[in-house]
Amino acid sequence: MRIDDGPGRRRYRRILRFATRHLVENWWFELALPRLGLSRLGARGRVRRWQRAAREFHGLAADLGGLMIKVGQFLSTRLDVLPPEVTRELEGLQDEVRPERFADLRALAEAELGMPLSLAFAQFDETPLASASLGQAHRARLLPEDAAETGFTDVVVKVQRPDIHAIVAIDLAALRRVAGWLSRVKLVSRRVDAPALAEEFARTSLEEIDYLHEAQNADRFAEQFAGDPRVRVPGVAWERSSRRVLTLEDVGAIKVNDLAALRAAGIDPSTVASEFAAVMFDQLFVHGFFHGDAHPGNLFVTPVDGGFALTFIDFGMMGEIPDSLRTGLQQFLIAVAARDGRRLVATMRDLGVLLPSADTRELERIMSALFARFGGIAFTELQNLDERELRGFADEFGETIRSLPFQLPENFLLVIRTVSLTSGLASTLDTDFNIWNAVEPYAAQLLLDERGGLLRSLAREAVSLLGSTARLPKRLDELVTRVEDGEVSVESPRLDRTLRRLERTAGRLVSAVLFTGLLVSGVLARPSDEVLGWVLMGTSALPLAHAVLGGLFAGRSGR
């Protein structure tokens, strides 16, 4: 893309200058100094440098607006490629932008709708309800004839900023340039496909500035919950909407995390928590089409006769669980139940978690050791294990897996993010909320999907499971013999010490993936084999311990 002289080129250069300065700084401290034998000097103050860079980016994004704010919000969820010191600084990044001049918005909206606002609406409030990086929202009222057709009168009109398309094009050009630089750094390219990440972000960003796409998402979401009294979705006024103007029913009510307001309305927050979790897991495990940004700003509780309804807004970020992901999760279950390390690795590759350079032999060894050491321990016993033993496992487990090259595919990451948002918000509403109990009926439903296809697959694996269980001690003995004879080598890449914090983050996320797989496998297995189910659920606590304790001890050592 050719950037013309003027404000656009200045914006483009400012983004590249920021990226260049911090890339050079990191090259010096993280690569050059260690090669000169000054690793300790390079490691000194690393956390402060990362935090400073994240804060400076926060300021840059708030000043420039546009996609820079979206970049910060997007990167704050990429736990698979960024250390926690960065994601924590970016988590609080909001749309800190000044309102657009109403005269400019009026001109754009009238051009899009093909008529003056005074003819399109009975009333239009010039004071913005909210101002964001990509657009601005205003309250309005429909004309009587439009209200009769849609069934509602009060609306919220979202209007894009007049120059947002040019800004998005400039920002994407700069991001693609930076991603190209990163792809030439071997140590970065081995961990993440930066150009692919940039293209992933570009695709989602272009969808977000297409308001007709958001309107279609809202309609689809409403259709899948049609007749369900638990959920409300704002209606779309299609005659007053376009790619740059979106008119939705005004559904504002009690913010979902306003506990005082909920209690004042006679609504028990703990009941809201369980209902919210049920609705979210319906989206994930029943419908396969889910709201990917269900934070408190996008969710209201609407009092109704005898109860309440959950009202969702903002459908720009939606997720879908494709057949390939569903099949991959089912195969993950079967591989875990059969203690089949090779199938487990193949499934992780199919899911897009493992990159081609992963040492699959080493991952097979890890899983065999995991089952051999902790496979027979009940979950209640795991909870009572000595912290030093858990820490020892975390060190052993993490040391082995932290060099595995991987990244999470977008749809899988959005599923994890959605479950995390669900758990966090539900726990805010109810401190005793237990996501394991909430997810069990939905996970078990997977066994009945595709006319019982998975159940038949599990039945076919039963004999293999028994055989694998019986052969497990012999297989472990053979593995040990191969190691002692030098037939199996463990080749961890000789990465610079300066990347260890990033590697620990990657290792902890692999543990989180394994924890999720083992936990869901146990939940799914319990209806047909309660003992096996509890064993798998109990085993899941070990990679969870590595992820949590590894983060805790890494945080202490980083100070």
Side-chain angles (χ1 to χ4, degrees):
M1 174 184 176
R2 185 176 183 274
I3 309 296
D4 296 328
D5 292 334
R9 177 162 290 276
R10 288 194 295 271
R11 179 186 183 92
Y12 178 78
R13 287 176 173 172
R14 186 175 174 187
I15 296 171
L16 292 187
R17 280 198 303 270
F18 175 90
T20 301
R21 180 163 63 86
H22 286 283
L23 286 175
V24 170
E25 180 183 87
N26 279 278
W27 171 83
W28 173 251
F29 284 103
E30 308 292 351
L31 295 176
L33 289 181
R35 289 176 179 174
L36 297 174
L38 300 173
S39 297
R40 281 192 172 185
L41 180 61
R44 188 180 303 164
R46 177 184 295 127
V47 174
R48 289 193 299 274
R49 286 198 304 274
W50 284 346
Q51 290 174 326
R52 185 185 70 248
R55 282 194 297 269
E56 290 179 4
F57 181 81
H58 187 125
L60 176 74
D63 187 35
L64 291 180
L67 284 188
M68 290 300 99
I69 286 178
K70 298 298 179 184
V71 169
Q73 295 172 338
F74 176 79
L75 293 178
S76 71
T77 68
R78 292 312 302 242
L79 301 177
D80 55 330
V81 296
L82 289 175
E85 289 79 13
V86 172
T87 59
R88 278 196 296 267
E89 289 289 341
L90 298 175
E91 281 173 355
L93 185 61
Q94 301 297 327
D95 288 355
E96 303 166 5
V97 292
R98 292 179 296 274
E100 193 76 29
R101 285 198 326 133
F102 182 72
D104 296 334
L105 283 183
R106 177 195 290 274
L108 185 146
E110 292 181 344
E112 287 289 312
L113 298 176
M115 65 181 72
L117 290 181
S118 58
L119 296 180
F121 299 94
Q123 179 183 337
F124 198 100
D125 189 352
E126 296 186 5
T127 303
L129 174 66
S131 183
S133 60
L134 303 183
Q136 198 160 287
H138 293 257
R139 280 198 168 99
R141 292 177 64 86
L142 293 177
L143 295 168
E145 55 270 30
D146 292 332
E149 180 180 346
T150 61
F152 50 85
T153 300
D154 295 328
V155 293
V156 173
V157 183
K158 294 173 62 175
V159 184
Q160 286 184 5
R161 293 179 180 274
D163 56 351
I164 194 60
H165 281 263
I167 289 175
V168 167
I170 291 168
D171 291 354
L172 288 179
L175 291 174
R176 286 172 171 136
R177 183 79 177 272
V178 174
W181 294 344
L182 292 174
S183 68
R184 298 186 181 94
V185 180
K186 185 176 181 181
L187 290 174
V188 174
S189 63
R190 289 174 63 181
R191 304 299 302 180
V192 61
D193 186 345
L197 197 63
E199 291 307 316
E200 174 188 331
F201 178 74
R203 181 182 61 79
T204 57
S205 298
L206 293 174
E207 286 180 353
E208 195 167 354
I209 60 174
D210 181 355
Y211 282 171
L212 289 182
H213 181 77
E214 180 177 345
Q216 291 165 355
N217 286 339
D219 268 5
R220 179 178 175 185
F221 193 80
E223 288 174 6
Q224 77 178 19
F225 283 105
D228 190 333
R230 302 173 303 168
V231 178
R232 287 192 174 185
V233 181
V236 180
W238 285 98
E239 293 299 319
R240 297 293 176 258
S241 298
S242 70
R243 293 194 180 277
R244 306 190 67 182
V245 176
L246 178 60
T247 302
L248 297 170
E249 179 184 5
D250 188 350
V251 292
I254 303 172
K255 289 196 68 172
V256 70
N257 61 344
D258 190 342
L259 304 186
L262 290 174
R263 294 190 179 102
I267 299 172
D268 183 359
S270 62
T271 304
V272 176
S274 58
E275 201 79 339
F276 167 62
V279 168
M280 292 306 298
F281 290 134
D282 271 352
Q283 297 171 46
L284 287 168
F285 296 118
V286 178
H287 303 294
F289 181 68
F290 60 95
H291 198 298
D293 200 23
H295 60 73
N298 289 336
L299 186 62
F300 297 92
V301 178
T302 304
V304 296
D305 292 340
F308 64 89
L310 295 168
T311 302
F312 291 81
I313 64 170
D314 195 346
F315 300 91
M317 184 186 295
M318 303 296 291
E320 192 161 5
I321 301 179
D323 292 339
S324 59
L325 178 57
R326 181 180 292 269
T327 301
L329 292 174
Q330 292 172 352
Q331 291 302 314
F332 192 100
L333 161 65
I334 294 172
V336 171
R339 313 297 204 269
D340 189 335
R342 290 185 178 180
R343 182 181 291 186
L344 180 71
V345 171
T347 300
M348 293 181 73
R349 286 191 187 279
D350 292 341
L351 288 171
V353 174
L354 286 175
L355 296 183
S357 56
D359 185 347
T360 58
R361 297 171 303 170
E362 185 65 5
L363 186 56
E364 290 175 25
R365 185 195 71 78
I366 294 167
M367 294 310 302
S368 297
L370 176 68
F371 285 120
R373 183 175 176 185
F374 299 105
I377 299 178
F379 180 65
T380 53
E381 296 175 20
L382 288 172
Q383 289 179 315
N384 296 325
L385 285 179
D386 185 85
E387 180 182 335
R388 288 172 297 181
E389 182 177 357
L390 290 176
R391 178 176 180 176
F393 170 76
D395 291 341
E396 177 186 354
F397 194 73
E399 184 68 26
T400 308
I401 68 172
R402 67 178 186 174
S403 62
L404 290 175
F406 78 100
Q407 67 179 354
L408 295 183
E410 178 197 2
N411 49 11
F412 196 62
L413 181 68
L414 196 57
V415 169
I416 293 176
R417 182 176 188 270
T418 300
V419 172
S420 176
L421 285 172
T422 302
S423 178
L425 179 53
S427 297
T428 299
L429 294 165
D430 179 8
T431 55
D432 295 326
F433 176 78
N434 187 328
I435 195 169
W436 290 19
N437 294 337
V439 76
E440 184 169 352
Y442 301 94
Q445 183 62 36
L446 289 175
L447 290 171
L448 304 178
D449 285 352
E450 299 178 359
R451 298 181 180 179
L454 178 57
L455 190 59
R456 290 194 296 272
S457 297
L458 284 171
R460 288 194 298 269
E461 294 294 327
V463 175
S464 175
L465 169 61
L466 294 175
S468 298
T469 303
R471 293 192 302 270
L472 184 57
K474 181 179 178 181
R475 290 173 64 189
L476 288 174
D477 288 341
E478 291 174 351
L479 178 61
V480 172
T481 301
R482 289 170 62 194
V483 173
E484 292 176 344
D485 292 344
E487 296 177 10
V488 176
S489 61
V490 180
E491 300 176 357
S492 298
R494 189 179 294 275
L495 300 180
D496 295 272
R497 291 180 59 193
T498 52
L499 288 180
R500 286 182 180 175
R501 184 174 299 273
L502 180 59
E503 292 171 337
R504 292 191 193 103
T505 301
R508 291 196 299 275
L509 191 58
V510 171
S511 295
V513 173
L514 294 175
F515 160 69
T516 303
L518 290 168
L519 172 61
V520 173
S521 299
V523 170
L524 292 174
R526 275 184 60 195
S528 58
D529 189 336
E530 186 171 359
V531 174
L532 174 61
W534 280 113
V535 168
L536 292 173
M537 291 173 68
T539 305
S540 73
L542 277 303
L544 175 63
H546 166 248
V548 175
L549 293 177
L552 174 63
F553 297 127
R556 290 176 180 172
S557 62
R559 291 189 179 99

